[in-house]
Each structure stands twice: as C-alpha cells, then as structure tokens.
Amino acid sequence: MIRRLTVLSLALTLTACATPYVQPPLTPPAGFVGPHIVDAPAGQSGAFVVRDGARLPYLRWAPAEGEPWAVIVALHGMNDSRASFRLAGPWWAEQGIETWAYDQRGFGEAPGRGLWAGEAALTADLETVVALVRARHPDAVIAVVGESMGGSIAVAAFASDQPPAADRLILLAPGVWGWSSQGWLNGTSLWFAARLFGDRAVEPPEWAVRDIRASDNILELIRNGRDPNSILATRFDTLSGLVGLMETASQRLGDTRVPTLLLYGAHDQIVTPGPMRLALERAGASPTLRTAWYPDGWHLLNRDLAAVTVYGDVVAALRDPAAPLPSGAGDVLPHLQAATPAD
C-alpha cells in the first residue's frame, strides 16, 4: 500500500510539472525588410536585426585604416553581454581584425532579458549574424569566437545541418558541463526545480562567490559584476536550458565542420576538468578540432591577466589553422587525463 501511494504521489508530481519556459519568437513589425545591420560608429552600439525582427545590440572594433583581413563574430558567456570583448576587440583591431560582439537573445539589452531563448533560436541568430557580416566583408576570413556559453552555442550551430557561413571557429573554454556530467543528485534537483519553480531566479550561493573565481583579473571581475547589463540572478528554467545546451556541445564537439581551436586554462573553476575531458574524449580524433592548453589560464581567457597571449594565438589560428601557435600551447586532453580520473 505504501509503495502504491509513493508511486501515485510521484506520478501526480510529474503530471503537475510544467515544461521549462522558452522565449517564443517575436512577431516582425509591419513593413519588416528582413535581417539587416543598424550601423553605428566603431566602438559604439548598433544592432543586428534578425529573422523575427529582434534587435541584438552589438559593439564593433575596427582597424583604424583599410579593410580588415579577418572579421570576428564574438559570442559572450552566460549572464554576460557584448562588453565581454571590450579588451580583446581593440587589440585585434590593431592587428587588422574587425570584431562584432553582440548581446545574445535573453542577455544584455537583447529581447527577453533573463529568459531562456532556446538552442534553436540562439543558433539561428548566430547563423543570421554571420551571414550579415559575411555580406559586409565578402573577402575577409570570417571567424566565430565563443566564450563559455557562447562556445556552447557555436558548437551547436557549427555541428548542425545549417552551420554558419564562417571559415574558423575559436572556442574559449566552451561550456560542456551538460546533463551527463551533472551527477545524479544535481541533475535530478535541477530537472525538478526547472519544472516546479522555473520562474524563480536565484543568485549564486555565498560559498560559490567566495571560493570560485572565473579569472585572475580581479579588476575585470569587479567591473563585470557592476555592469548593469550583467545578470546576477538566474531562473531555474534558464539554468536547465543552459545545461541542455552544454550537453549538445559535449556530445557534438567533434562534429564542427570548419577548422576549430579550443582553448582551455589549467585554473578553470567554471568548466571543470572532468566535463572538459569527457567532451574531448567524445570528440576523439576529429579532423577539424585542435586544442590549446594554458598553464596560467582561468575560465575567462579573453579577460585574464595573460589574455594577450590568447589574443595572439587567436590571430595565428585565423591566419593558418595548422600553424604552430605563438605561445607554444599544446594539446589539452593529455593534461586532463593525467590530472582527472575517467568517468
């Protein structure tokens, strides 16, 4: 009898669970002319207008003179914004590279702030943005650089049946901490929380704020935390959507269709070694994937104190994906296999 009541109670609980919320597409305004770029001077915010009329604000850094030989479309991480590339963009501009960093749907000043947009919408937005940038610079090398969650979105897009029309993919510590790396308790708790309390937003626990660092660049962490476009409290349904996206990235890392460089730091406390090792082992001997290990690197490789080393390696990979990196960074997986037990 007790067992039957337990089963009945569980069944009723599951029935009452709501599907985690995902932003619906917008309705384009009357007279919508299709995807286009709303221009702004270099260093100021314009916007990409995508298929459903959503405006995704961007920052652009361009060379002082002449046409860029390469153009980067930059994707920020979870709860971050286009300002994530405010240090890298000007540096790359000095090397003749133009960078467009945009607020992804649900973040920064893009539509649906704080609400999960879904993998399909996020990857479709990237495909549209790359097409717009490609049309603006048809003769340049076009690359996508994705940091953390931005790397997860890039992997999902480039491994899909409709990959963006780019020539290179650079992954800065991509998010690969998917459901298969969560552990039973954590995964089950989040699954239920996303369905029972999906619209409840929570900030990171005090111990996480105290003990986990994303970078050794403390001033940049402070700036990022004070940026009004950063999100500090995250809904449970958004967290669930993120974990699902990271599972896709973990499963499909070896399926990207352009030369891909994955960069990872030995001190990364956000995407920890276990999930990264699993993703790389799943990728196997991918013909398109190359990796780079940074002994002094943290999670925000793009903003660490040693970020200039990473910037230089990115430039080298854009010029020749097969050439040695200026830093001498070697493969990631052997370091992780030596340091972490197999799952």
Side-chain angles (χ1 to χ4, degrees):
M1 183 65 178
I2 294 176
R3 179 179 297 177
R4 289 180 180 177
L5 289 174
T6 301
V7 172
L8 177 61
S9 176
L10 178 60
L12 291 174
T13 299
L14 291 173
T15 301
C17 288
T19 301
Y21 180 81
V22 175
Q23 282 190 54
L26 302 181
T27 301
F32 179 57
V33 297
H36 60 279
I37 299 175
V38 178
D39 285 308
Q44 299 184 27
S45 291
F48 292 109
V49 180
V50 293
R51 297 174 187 175
D52 63 351
R55 293 171 64 93
L56 308 179
Y58 70 75
L59 284 171
R60 180 175 69 92
W61 298 272
E65 297 180 0
E67 281 292 304
W69 64 269
V71 179
I72 288 172
V73 174
L75 301 178
H76 63 76
M78 181 67 176
N79 289 344
D80 224 321
S81 74
R82 60 195 187 276
S84 298
F85 290 86
R86 71 183 192 92
L87 302 179
W91 197 95
W92 285 327
E94 293 179 355
Q95 315 305 312
I97 300 171
E98 184 166 295
T99 301
W100 303 67
Y102 69 93
D103 286 349
Q104 299 184 80
R105 199 179 296 240
F107 302 96
E109 295 180 301
R113 175 179 168 86
L115 305 176
W116 186 244
E119 182 178 315
L122 293 166
T123 56
D125 287 345
L126 175 58
E127 181 191 352
T128 300
V129 168
V130 169
L132 292 170
V133 171
R134 165 79 67 188
R136 181 69 61 92
H137 297 287
D139 298 324
V141 173
I142 307 296
V144 171
V145 175
E147 177 180 79
S148 194
M149 181 198 76
S152 310
I153 292 166
V155 171
F158 280 87
S160 72
D161 293 333
Q162 292 184 300
D167 305 300
R168 310 276 193 275
L169 174 58
I170 309 292
L171 304 172
L172 305 177
V176 290
W177 193 34
W179 292 111
S180 56
S181 296
Q182 289 289 317
W184 181 87
L185 180 60
N186 197 49
T188 301
S189 299
L190 179 56
W191 192 94
F192 276 103
R195 287 157 175 79
L196 295 173
F197 316 107
D199 61 353
R200 184 174 301 176
V202 293
E203 294 190 16
E206 182 178 343
W207 65 264
V209 174
R210 182 185 65 246
D211 298 337
I212 298 177
R213 279 197 293 162
S215 174
D216 59 351
N217 189 342
I218 303 303
L219 290 179
E220 183 61 18
L221 293 178
I222 293 172
R223 184 216 64 82
N224 191 64
R226 293 178 177 175
D227 188 335
N229 284 332
S230 296
I231 296 175
L232 301 180
T234 310
R235 291 168 49 127
F236 281 118
D237 48 17
T238 295
L239 287 171
S240 176
L242 171 65
V243 173
L245 171 68
M246 292 194 293
E247 181 65 22
T248 297
S250 178
Q251 297 279 358
R252 302 297 305 277
L253 180 60
D255 299 331
T256 58
R257 305 180 186 189
V258 296
T260 302
L261 175 64
L262 182 152
L263 294 73
Y264 185 73
H267 301 290
D268 197 323
Q269 298 178 345
I270 308 300
V271 178
T272 52
M276 182 58 70
R277 172 179 174 173
L278 176 61
L280 290 173
E281 289 178 339
R282 284 170 167 169
S286 167
T288 60
L289 180 63
R290 180 184 184 188
T291 64
W293 170 263
Y294 296 88
D296 297 326
W298 295 67
H299 183 61
L300 299 180
L301 294 166
N302 159 45
R303 287 170 276 181
D304 285 350
L305 294 177
V308 170
T309 300
V310 169
Y311 302 163
D313 283 354
V314 170
V315 173
L318 297 190
R319 289 194 182 278
D320 182 355
L325 299 176
S327 70
D331 291 342
V332 171
L333 188 55
H335 292 278
L336 299 184
Q337 290 174 329
T340 60
D343 289 340

